[in-house]
């Protein structure tokens, strides 16, 4: 019984720490106005929260369906930055198409994953990966991914906290987009 109490206390502490971290991230993301800085902060936080080696964020292009990697954290190479994620291609493309979280313990050998991005994955040494959709008002607006360079089983707790971060990220990205549009309209009014 004492062990059960200790486990329950440890779980409560972990959840409280996650909640505090997510609240701090939410405040941080809504206070940042620079889009590039905000995207980098999201990827850094995703990497930290998941205990991953590598993280990326790829918002959907304006007027398009493909997503483009706009920020990475923990990269060994520059190959991932700017990579296009087409719907249906690779893990990210699968998430763009389905709108559902996708997890693999070994990207390069997983038969469920098409291998369009295998060169980037191999160069980064990525093994296990989890990719979550960014959603705003029911639409998939991008993807957030975390990866390890060793085999990793992503726990429900890992995925839950990443899902909350993805929710914060989607809102922050949309707010930044709207702010950018407002600035363009504002600067155009003086012409």
């Amino acid at each position: 019984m004492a062990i059960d109490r200790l486990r329950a206390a440890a779980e409560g502490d972990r959840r409280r720490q996650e909640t505090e971290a997510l609240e701090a991230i939410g405040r941080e993301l809504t206070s940042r106005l620079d889009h590039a800085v905000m995207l980098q902060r999201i990827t850094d936080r995703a990497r930290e929260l998941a205990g991953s080696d590598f993280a990326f964020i790829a918002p959907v292009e304006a007027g398009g369906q493909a997503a483009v990697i706009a920020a990475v954290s923990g990269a060994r190479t520059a190959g991932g930055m700017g990579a296009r994620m087409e719907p249906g291609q690779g893990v990210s493309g699968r998430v763009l198409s389905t709108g559902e979280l996708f997890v693999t313990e070994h990207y390069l050998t997983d038969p469920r994953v098409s291998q369009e991005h295998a060169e980037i994955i191999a160069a980064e040494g990525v093994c296990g990966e989890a990719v979550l959709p960014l959603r705003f008002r029911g639409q998939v607006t991008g993807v957030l991914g975390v990866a390890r360079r060793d085999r990793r089983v992503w726990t429900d707790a890992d995925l839950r906290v990443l899902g909350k971060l993805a929710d914060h990220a989607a809102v922050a990205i949309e707010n930044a987009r709207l702010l950018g549009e407002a600035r363009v309209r504002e600067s155009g009014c003086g012409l």
Side-chain angles (χ1 to χ4, degrees), residues 91 102-113 121 125-131 146-155 159:
V91 172
F102 189 83
V103 177
T104 180
E105 290 180 34
H106 196 274
Y107 189 107
L108 293 174
T109 61
D110 191 328
R112 303 171 299 161
V113 179
I121 297 300
V126 166
C127 192
E129 185 174 25
V131 178
V146 293
R148 294 275 306 192
R149 292 187 173 100
D150 57 5
R151 285 194 178 251
R152 168 75 185 259
V153 175
W154 303 95
T155 67
L159 299 175

Side-chain angles (χ1 to χ4, degrees), residues 68-191:
V68 176
I69 294 181
V72 296
S73 181
R76 290 181 175 168
T77 71
M81 244 341 242
R84 284 178 60 83
M85 307 292 146
E86 298 286 342
Q89 295 182 355
V91 172
S92 295
R94 182 180 178 129
V95 172
L96 285 172
S97 295
T98 65
E100 299 296 323
L101 153 79
F102 189 83
V103 177
T104 180
E105 290 180 34
H106 196 274
Y107 189 107
L108 293 174
T109 61
D110 191 328
R112 303 171 299 161
V113 179
S114 65
Q115 297 296 310
E116 287 84 3
H117 303 114
E119 188 175 307
I120 295 169
I121 297 300
E124 285 295 338
V126 166
C127 192
E129 185 174 25
V131 178
L132 297 94
L134 301 176
R135 281 196 188 88
F136 187 78
R137 293 189 179 154
Q139 298 294 317
V140 175
T141 59
V143 295
L144 174 66
V146 293
R148 294 275 306 192
R149 292 187 173 100
D150 57 5
R151 285 194 178 251
R152 168 75 185 259
V153 175
W154 303 95
T155 67
D156 288 341
D158 293 330
L159 299 175
R160 185 184 71 248
V161 75
L162 286 170
K164 290 177 183 178
L165 177 59
D167 291 344
H168 283 302
V171 171
I173 290 168
E174 182 63 14
N175 287 342
R177 184 189 68 76
L178 292 171
L179 181 62
E181 287 176 3
R183 286 181 176 161
V184 167
R185 281 192 307 273
E186 192 174 281
S187 66
C189 291
L191 295 177

